[in-house]
Amino acid sequence: MLDHTWHALSKGSSSINQIELLPWQARSPDLSPIENMWSMVAQRLTQITPPAATPDQLCCQVIYSQFGLAIHQNDHQARRRFVEWAQNEIAVVPDFHKRILFSDEANFWLNGYVNQQNCRIWSEANPHVYVKTPLHPEKLTVWCALWAGGIIGPYFIKNDEGHNVTVNGDRYKTMITNFFIPELNNHDVQELWFQQDGSTCHTARATIDLLKDTFGDRLISRFGPVNWPPRSCDLTPLDYFLWGYVKSLVYADKPQ
């Protein structure tokens, strides 16, 4: 059956045994339940002491023995509380959702590959002479905020020398201080809410305090007045639309 299914899919069939197939959108954020499950399983694997078993047995143990309702019940309740809070706000202010500044970062790789190890050291004829060559293409980390009134950004994460770097707590706070808050001067900040996910680089105490000074209780974030749920599907306009759309344009001409 699996071979038949794969063959039918590879031929572009629109149905298998009278089951209608819908095309999966290109560069989709993969908003399926199993994406959240893999994240939770990976976390469990790092928290337990592996028994004398093969990796596949260990993974099965986590999925079937420890991945149960008790594990994700708290996360589910947190997401439910957030949805109920949002519904209550919209019931009072119908256009409440239009006042939220959703924020996020995205990595743009020349070939889409992501790996922490970004270079190799190798030797030519003389073993005392080393040539450093990139293992993977250069990437660019971009931040922006999106709301019904438009876009604030993009902001490109770079170091003092102007080189592309990854985001960390200090760089994120610098961006908030030097770029984001000055940009807010063009808007009525008293009417806006700010949302960020629970990434560690977003939630340093100094950064949270800075955002609270700017937005008061109108902050949706881990450790904020309104908690952004853990392991959320990140159903923000950026993940659901903007990044995929921008990357479809950026990669259309195969940038070098």
Side-chain angles (χ1 to χ4, degrees):
M1 177 61 187
L2 181 60
D3 291 341
H4 171 73
T5 302
W6 177 255
H7 178 73
L9 287 173
S10 64
K11 295 299 184 181
S13 174
S14 60
S15 63
I16 300 176
N17 291 346
Q18 298 181 346
I19 299 177
E20 293 298 324
L21 300 179
L22 299 177
W24 191 250
Q25 300 180 17
R27 297 184 183 84
S28 166
D30 288 342
L31 301 177
S32 65
I34 200 168
E35 295 295 338
N36 283 336
M37 188 197 78
W38 291 134
S39 174
M40 298 168 71
V41 168
Q43 288 189 349
R44 281 286 167 176
L45 285 171
T46 63
Q47 294 171 359
I48 66 175
T49 301
T54 61
D56 56 336
Q57 291 173 335
L58 175 60
C59 190
C60 288
Q61 173 189 339
V62 172
I63 293 177
Y64 294 112
S65 300
Q66 299 190 35
F67 186 81
L69 290 177
I71 295 177
H72 65 273
Q73 184 175 9
N74 291 337
D75 294 342
H76 174 76
Q77 291 175 349
R79 290 193 291 269
R80 184 182 182 90
R81 286 194 299 268
F82 179 81
V83 170
E84 291 172 347
W85 169 82
Q87 289 178 327
N88 291 335
E89 294 293 331
I90 293 174
V92 176
V93 182
D95 65 344
F96 170 75
H97 59 288
K98 296 182 179 180
R99 304 181 183 184
I100 301 176
L101 278 162
F102 293 94
S103 69
D104 195 18
E105 298 99 9
N107 292 324
F108 287 75
W109 291 77
L110 286 182
N111 68 348
Y113 190 85
V114 178
N115 195 311
Q116 295 296 327
Q117 186 179 7
N118 58 14
C119 67
R120 294 281 191 196
I121 306 298
W122 57 279
S123 175
E124 293 184 319
N126 186 344
H128 300 290
V129 177
Y130 293 93
V131 180
K132 186 175 181 179
T133 59
L135 176 63
H136 303 300
E138 186 178 11
K139 75 172 181 178
L140 177 65
T141 301
V142 186
W143 176 94
C144 79
L146 176 66
W147 63 303
I151 294 178
I152 296 180
Y155 180 88
F156 303 102
I157 310 297
K158 297 177 180 290
N159 60 16
D160 294 337
E161 291 74 31
H163 298 148
N164 300 328
V165 291
T166 57
V167 63
N168 59 25
D170 290 337
R171 291 166 184 154
Y172 186 75
K173 181 176 181 293
T174 298
M175 183 277 297
I176 294 291
T177 303
N178 298 339
F179 174 76
F180 180 51
I181 291 180
E183 285 288 325
L184 290 175
N185 293 332
N186 300 322
H187 306 283
D188 184 4
V189 70
Q190 299 301 320
E191 294 293 326
L192 295 178
W193 289 67
F194 180 67
Q195 177 274 339
Q196 62 179 9
D197 62 32
S199 174
T200 303
C201 64
H202 297 166
T203 55
R205 182 183 299 273
T207 301
I208 293 295
D209 290 343
L210 179 62
L211 291 171
K212 286 181 178 178
D213 289 341
T214 304
F215 291 96
D217 291 335
R218 302 183 311 282
L219 173 61
I220 305 171
S221 170
R222 182 187 178 197
F223 304 138
V226 178
N227 187 49
W228 186 246
R231 282 181 284 277
S232 167
C233 299
D234 285 345
L235 298 178
T236 67
L238 294 101
D239 274 324
Y240 197 71
F241 161 71
L242 182 67
W243 295 133
Y245 175 71
V246 172
K247 288 184 177 182
S248 69
L249 301 179
V250 170
Y251 294 134
D253 296 327
K254 298 181 179 180
Q256 300 300 315

